[in-house]
Amino acid sequence: MKPEFIEFIGNVRKRRSQKFRNQLYVFLMCLLVSVFLWILVKLSREYYYTINYHINYTHVPPAYKLTHVSDSALTLNLRVQGYDFFTDRFFHYTSHTYDLDLSSIKVKAKGSVYKGYLLTNPIGYEISSQSRFQNDLLSTSPDTLFFEFERRRK
């Protein structure tokens, strides 16, 4: 097979005949079809996709002032189809920010500091359900967000 391939390459350098051009066109068309089918196979698989969301905290309870947050980003690990992964990564620019409503957080006094927490798994499911393609949420990181508040002075 090697000598035939070397002869084929050698024919490229020589003056091209009609027969050679036809063979070259057939070869290029077969190559194009095979690359297209390979891409379809690759995009039909499932992939694991990690997305980092920046969190904006909104609606802090009116009696409190937010002083410390354990994390300002939420990492979602998703299982997606290859086509969805490809289009989201290369064609659709989306701002990966999420506004987290703190109005329903329960605040407890710990000395002079007021503390609260939220589990991130329900937040991850909410973000995942708002995306434009079907996916499975595998995990969220961190698993809990901790907050520290201080009382507003009147």
Side-chain angles (χ1 to χ4, degrees), residues 6 12-14 18-19 28 33 38 43 45 62 75 81 83 121 125 130 133 139 143:
I6 293 172
V12 171
R13 293 184 178 173
K14 294 180 183 177
Q18 182 65 30
K19 180 181 175 187
L28 292 176
V33 168
W38 177 78
L43 291 180
R45 291 185 181 170
T75 303
Q81 288 295 111
Y83 178 74
N121 206 23
Y125 280 114
Q130 293 174 1
F133 49 82
S139 66
D143 63 346

Side-chain angles (χ1 to χ4, degrees), residues 20-37:
F20 176 75
R21 276 185 268 160
N22 289 341
Q23 289 175 345
L24 183 63
Y25 293 145
V26 169
F27 172 75
L28 292 176
M29 288 303 295
C30 289
L31 182 66
L32 184 68
V33 168
S34 65
V35 167
F36 177 73
L37 290 175

Side-chain angles (χ1 to χ4, degrees), residues 64-95:
Y64 301 101
K65 177 181 172 187
L66 185 62
T67 58
H68 179 66
V69 177
S70 64
D71 224 332
S72 64
L74 184 65
T75 303
L76 300 179
N77 292 320
L78 305 167
R79 182 174 40 212
V80 296
Q81 288 295 111
Y83 178 74
D84 296 329
F85 171 75
F86 183 75
T87 56
D88 186 59
R89 189 73 178 241
F90 297 109
F91 293 122
H92 298 288
Y93 176 75
T94 55
S95 173

